[in-house]
Amino acid sequence: MIRLNNLSKNFRGRPALIDLSLEIARGEIFGLLGHNGAGKSTTFGLILGQLYPTAGEAFIRDISVQRDRMKALKGVGAIFETPGFYDYLSGWNNLRIFTSYSGQVKDAEITETVKFVGLENRIHDPVRVYSHGMRQRLALAQALLPRPDVVLLDEPAEGLDPEGIHEMRQLILQLNSEHGMTVLLSSHLLSEVEQLCDRIAILNSGRLVFQGRWSELAKNENRFRIKVDDWQAAISVIEKCGAAILDTGIVQPRGEIADVVAALVLAGRRVYAVEPLKQSLEELYLGAVAAE
Amino acid sequence: MSSLFRLQLGHELRKLFARKRTYIGFGAFVLVEALVLFLVNLPKPRSHFRRLIEQNGYGFDEYFSGLTLALLMVMWTTFLLGALYLALVAGDVVSKEVEEGTLRMILCRPVSRARIVALKYLACIVYTFVLVLFIGLSALAAGIAYRGFGGLFVFAPMEHIVALHAAWPGLERYLGALALLALSLTSVTSLGLMLSCFNMKPAAATIVTLSVIFLDSIFRNIPYFESLQPWFITTHMGAWLHVFTPFIPWSRLCEDYAYLLALDATFVIVGFAAFQRRDFKA
């Protein structure tokens, strides 16, 4: 659905994005991770044709944004970290203004979308009196009008309270599952990305340092928490199997964990639980960035 | 013009006219008009006008009318505030939207940059005409309310114009002059819009626009530069007053407005080129 071919962008000679290639499938929720200044917003700007790439090309539905921006952006919705609105106008008028640039949108469709984002009671108030959460909802509403098949969400949960973050997450999941929308989500809220995204890309100083599934990032971890009747007695058995003991009850086998469990049972230990340990997203992210 | 373009233009106008600033500005024009009306009716200026009118063999009471006062109000108000206000509006039109992030929201959508500039320019032009119409009609209403309807006495020393017209022909010329004044002021609008398309703050676009117009006006009035007068923008912008000369110099008017329209087109093309090439980032 979205394909980036060797995208690079320099600002006054300083590279903001270096040779980024990505492919995002139809119906996927893809996460773009990175610290501030990593190149996430630059990537969004290039996909939307707001920035001109120094090299490379971005495609949406195989249409080049750089060659035919208007055609490529049909059916694309986007929101930014700090969405801009005409504060002196009502939310409703803001939606009418923004949607008019995508064609004529019926009032009924706007009303339905406003209800979907839960803003129906305040939509005729001026935007200047909106809370941050309401502005984010309004931003989401404008991104969904007219009904897009791709949405680009740049830090959609930025500044929201925990309840707001939860609601935004549910809305994104609903859009993806019920309407089949492809979602490109950028965030530095790692837990957010972990709960929403099928695949991720990690950017660091404009470079892609990882692209793939979480499981791929964690595949070499092979760490387990083992619960036995006597940990002190188990230590020598585990070490004989060649496994490393990382902490009390935490084991990293050289081969399969089943061999360690078999050795413990043969040595007369009672094994109550074996639980594979996954690295947290934060650990994975920091690991990938540090490796780079 | 497609219905979608009309809809988008309607929204652009709504953005301009929904701002509180618009009405504060219109209120400021009414205040300046009231001030001009008050000053012109002070004993000294009044006796000056009496002398000028009577020197030409006409009656003061007939020609120091609402129409004459309206023209004086329009001349002074546009000189003092017109350029300032239009530079403020046009200088803001793109750069303010860039600053507030609304332009990025628009640029997420399948709309060409050329259309965005065209919409903004057209909205500014409509705004210019509405503003001039407001100044002209409010001045006329105030003038007639104060002195009644009558002949038109025109005194514009900068343009070397002293003329007198009967009431109805005078009104026709007054209304025609308003249309040409609006056309003259589109040069300020075009310059403001062009600068607004560059990567600069809204205040900078406004200040540079005003500086260009004021410096042009100052240099035009320095005798040393008299030979360069045809090259100054404000020389051509003052052409609207020639509608009041006894025999309207049509060829000169056409020449002046052709110059201004060419200048406007240049400003818009340069502005569009800058807008087209720009990166828009947070």
Side-chain angles (χ1 to χ4, degrees), chain B residues 170-211:
Chain B
L171 180 63
E172 276 174 25
R173 293 200 185 215
Y174 177 82
L175 294 175
L178 286 183
L180 290 180
L181 170 62
L183 204 55
S184 293
L185 287 172
T186 57
S187 295
V188 180
T189 308
S190 307
L191 177 62
L193 179 116
M194 178 190 81
L195 292 166
S196 188
C197 288
F198 284 87
N199 190 6
M200 63 170 78
K201 295 263 179 202
T206 302
I207 289 166
V208 176
T209 306
L210 277 178
S211 305

Side-chain angles (χ1 to χ4, degrees), chain A residues 2 5 32-33 38 42 76 98 107 126 136 139 148 162 166-167 170 203 213 234 238 244 266 279 283 287:
Chain A
I2 300 175
N5 281 1
L32 199 56
L33 278 167
T42 302
V76 175
F98 288 124
D107 283 358
Q136 289 297 95
H166 174 76
E167 281 177 21
Q170 294 310 313
L203 293 175
R213 297 188 178 280
I238 292 167
L266 277 175
Q279 267 187 314
E283 285 173 306

